[in-house]
């Protein structure tokens, strides 16, 4: 009997040792394990123990990406609007020219409002506009004289071509030749007058130069109650260009 009990106990121990291997070879498991042990001790020193364990052989690991603490994911980072920074930069760089003008804002008024002003502060601007308008008219006279001379020379060329064709015609008459020659003589006289007029216009233009930026800066400074910089001068030139055109039209000969 004692030998039989010993044999049974040995078989139980072998069963417990072999159980994990069989479970692993099964290939599929739920990942749960159950173990139990029972022992009975008496005076004869007998004990029994039993245990079962099942383990999954094909478990799937979960995959995922975790962001480090305080770090935005790419999708979150992409939501940042970089255009907001661009807008702020553009707004910062934009020059508010009108904040620099002060009294010079009056240059936007109707030309008669400050060309006829008795204020000494407008004197420099009045002189600048008057000089610029005079120079504009002087240059316009040169352009007109050049155009007149070119037109008369074209007409003279045409008359000379007509004379060549007429004299080549055996049926021409002397009266026809004399009439055409009179036109040619008149055209030559016109060209002589044109040439003299152009010379006079060029002389007048040379004696009526357009005011430069330095004179404009001086005129603006005499009127302004704030510092005059390159931005202010550029703005004033743009505003006064239309005023100069109006003054030139009003004072044209």
């Amino acid at each position: 009997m004692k030998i039989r009990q010993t044999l049974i106990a040995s078989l139980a121990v072998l069963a417990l040792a072999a159980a994990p291997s069989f479970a692993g070879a099964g290939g599929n498991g739920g990942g749960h394990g159950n173990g139990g042990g029972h022992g009975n001790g008496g005076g004869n020193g007998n004990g029994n123990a039993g245990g079962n364990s099942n383990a999954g052989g094909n478990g799937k690991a979960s995959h995922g990406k975790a962001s480090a603490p305080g770090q935005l994911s790419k999708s979150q980072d992409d939501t940042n609007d970089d255009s907001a920074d661009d807008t702020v930069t553009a707004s910062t760089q934009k020059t508010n020219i009108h904040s620099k003008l002060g009294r010079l804002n009056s240059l936007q008024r109707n030309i008669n409002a400050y060309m006829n002003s008795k204020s000494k502060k407008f004197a420099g601007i009045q002189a600048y506009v008057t000089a610029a308008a005079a120079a504009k008219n002087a240059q316009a006279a040169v352009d007109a004289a050049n155009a007149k001379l070119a037109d008369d020379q074209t007409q003279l060329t045409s008359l000379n071509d007509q004379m060549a064709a007429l004299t080549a015609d055996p049926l021409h008459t002397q009266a026809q030749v004399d009439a055409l020659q009179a036109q040619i003589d008149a055209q030559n006289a016109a060209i002589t007058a044109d040439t003299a007029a152009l010379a006079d216009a060029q002389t007048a233009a040379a004696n009526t130069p357009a005011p430069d930026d330095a004179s404009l800066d001086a005129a603006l400074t005499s009127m302004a109650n704030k510092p005059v910089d390159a931005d202010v001068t550029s703005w004033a030139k743009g505003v006064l260009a239309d005023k100069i055109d109006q003054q030139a039209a009003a004072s044209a000969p």
Side-chain angles (χ1 to χ4, degrees), residues 126-146:
Q126 290 169 346
Y128 175 85
V129 172
T130 299
K136 190 177 185 69
N137 283 336
Q139 184 58 48
V142 171
D143 295 340
N146 267 317

Side-chain angles (χ1 to χ4, degrees), residues 69-107:
Q71 179 180 0
L72 293 176
S73 67
K74 187 177 186 302
S75 61
Q76 289 173 310
D77 187 56
D78 287 344
T79 60
N80 292 333
D81 187 4
D82 293 337
S83 64
D85 291 338
D86 295 339
T87 302
V88 172
T89 301
S91 177
T92 301
Q93 293 176 344
K94 183 179 180 180
T95 301
N96 185 0
I97 185 64
H98 294 285
S99 67
K100 296 183 177 183
L101 298 178
R103 190 181 291 129
L104 294 180
N105 276 297
S106 297
L107 296 180

Side-chain angles (χ1 to χ4, degrees), residues 153-204:
Q153 287 175 334
T154 298
Q155 291 186 43
L156 177 60
T157 298
S158 177
L159 290 171
N160 286 330
D161 290 343
Q162 291 177 46
M163 179 62 78
L166 178 62
T167 55
D169 184 357
L171 300 178
H172 74 274
T173 65
Q174 187 60 41
Q176 290 174 323
V177 172
D178 293 342
L180 186 56
Q181 185 60 51
Q183 295 182 51
I184 292 174
D185 293 341
Q187 198 63 30
N188 278 319
I191 289 175
T192 300
D194 291 343
T195 303
L198 176 59
D200 291 342
Q202 290 172 332
T203 300

Side-chain angles (χ1 to χ4, degrees), residues 228-249:
V228 175
D229 60 15
D231 289 336
V232 173
T233 300
S234 178
W235 174 87
K237 287 178 71 174
V239 170
L240 292 176
D242 181 58
K243 313 298 181 183
I244 291 169
D245 288 344
Q246 294 180 47
Q247 182 66 14

Side-chain angles (χ1 to χ4, degrees), residues 112-120 122 126:
N112 294 326
Y114 60 86
M115 286 302 291
N116 296 327
S117 174
K118 302 301 181 182
S119 173
K120 293 181 179 180
F122 283 95
Q126 290 169 346

